[in-house]
Amino acid sequence: EPIVRSLLAGGIRFIEFTLTNPLASEKVALLRREIVEFVSEQAAIGLGSVRTLEEAQLALDSGAQFIVS
Protein backbone atom coordinates (compact mmCIF):
# COMPACT_ATOMS: atom_id res chain seq x y z
CA GLU A 1 0.00 0.00 0.00
CA PRO A 2 2.76 2.57 0.70
CA ILE A 3 4.23 1.98 -2.75
CA VAL A 4 0.83 2.47 -4.41
CA ARG A 5 0.27 5.69 -2.45
CA SER A 6 3.73 6.94 -3.49
CA LEU A 7 3.04 6.16 -7.14
CA LEU A 8 -0.27 8.03 -6.97
CA ALA A 9 1.37 10.99 -5.24
CA GLY A 10 3.95 11.02 -8.04
CA GLY A 11 1.23 11.30 -10.69
CA ILE A 12 0.96 7.67 -11.81
CA ARG A 13 -2.72 7.01 -12.55
CA PHE A 14 -2.74 3.41 -13.83
CA ILE A 15 -1.41 0.65 -11.58
CA GLU A 16 -1.28 -3.01 -12.55
CA PHE A 17 -0.78 -6.03 -10.33
CA THR A 18 -0.05 -9.29 -12.11
CA LEU A 19 -1.54 -12.67 -11.39
CA THR A 20 1.97 -14.06 -11.14
CA ASN A 21 1.57 -12.89 -7.53
CA PRO A 22 -0.93 -15.24 -5.82
CA LEU A 23 -2.24 -12.39 -3.61
CA ALA A 24 -2.75 -9.90 -6.44
CA SER A 25 -6.54 -10.15 -6.69
CA GLU A 26 -6.94 -9.80 -2.91
CA LYS A 27 -4.67 -6.73 -2.89
CA VAL A 28 -6.54 -5.13 -5.80
CA ALA A 29 -9.85 -5.68 -3.98
CA LEU A 30 -8.47 -4.09 -0.80
CA LEU A 31 -6.87 -1.10 -2.52
CA ARG A 32 -9.92 -0.56 -4.75
CA ARG A 33 -12.05 -0.12 -1.62
CA GLU A 34 -9.60 1.86 0.51
CA ILE A 35 -7.80 4.34 -1.73
CA VAL A 36 -9.90 7.35 -2.65
CA GLU A 37 -8.30 7.80 -6.08
CA PHE A 38 -9.54 4.35 -7.13
CA VAL A 39 -12.96 4.80 -5.53
CA SER A 40 -13.47 8.17 -7.24
CA GLU A 41 -11.95 6.85 -10.50
CA GLN A 42 -9.24 9.52 -10.56
CA ALA A 43 -6.88 6.56 -11.00
CA ALA A 44 -7.32 2.96 -12.11
CA ILE A 45 -6.07 -0.31 -10.71
CA GLY A 46 -6.07 -3.53 -12.68
CA LEU A 47 -4.84 -7.06 -13.03
CA GLY A 48 -2.41 -8.36 -15.61
CA SER A 49 -1.20 -11.75 -16.82
CA VAL A 50 -4.86 -12.74 -17.25
CA ARG A 51 -4.93 -15.77 -19.55
CA THR A 52 -8.18 -17.63 -18.91
CA LEU A 53 -11.86 -16.88 -18.57
CA GLU A 54 -11.64 -17.87 -14.90
CA GLU A 55 -8.82 -15.39 -14.30
CA ALA A 56 -10.81 -12.68 -16.10
CA GLN A 57 -13.76 -13.37 -13.80
CA LEU A 58 -11.44 -13.24 -10.79
CA ALA A 59 -10.21 -9.83 -11.96
CA LEU A 60 -13.77 -8.54 -12.35
CA ASP A 61 -14.78 -9.95 -8.97
CA SER A 62 -11.81 -8.22 -7.33
CA GLY A 63 -12.95 -4.85 -8.69
CA ALA A 64 -10.18 -4.47 -11.26
CA GLN A 65 -10.82 -1.44 -13.45
CA PHE A 66 -8.84 -2.92 -16.35
CA ILE A 67 -7.45 -6.29 -17.43
CA VAL A 68 -4.24 -7.04 -19.33
CA SER A 69 -3.70 -10.41 -21.01
Side-chain angles (χ1 to χ4, degrees):
E1 185 176 338
I3 292 172
V4 170
R5 290 191 186 279
S6 293
L7 290 169
L8 291 168
I12 303 299
R13 292 292 171 243
F14 293 89
I15 297 175
E16 174 189 349
F17 283 76
T18 64
L19 286 179
T20 57
N21 177 336
L23 300 177
S25 63
E26 293 173 26
K27 189 54 93 170
V28 166
L30 175 71
L31 295 171
R32 179 75 165 93
R33 287 190 311 268
E34 292 189 355
I35 295 185
V36 69
E37 288 89 346
F38 299 136
V39 174
S40 66
E41 297 187 351
Q42 295 173 352
I45 189 167
L47 279 171
S49 301
V50 176
R51 296 175 299 255
T52 67
L53 183 58
E54 291 79 16
E55 290 173 340
Q57 189 61 57
L58 177 66
L60 293 173
D61 292 345
S62 73
Q65 294 165 294
F66 64 89
I67 297 171
V68 178
S69 61

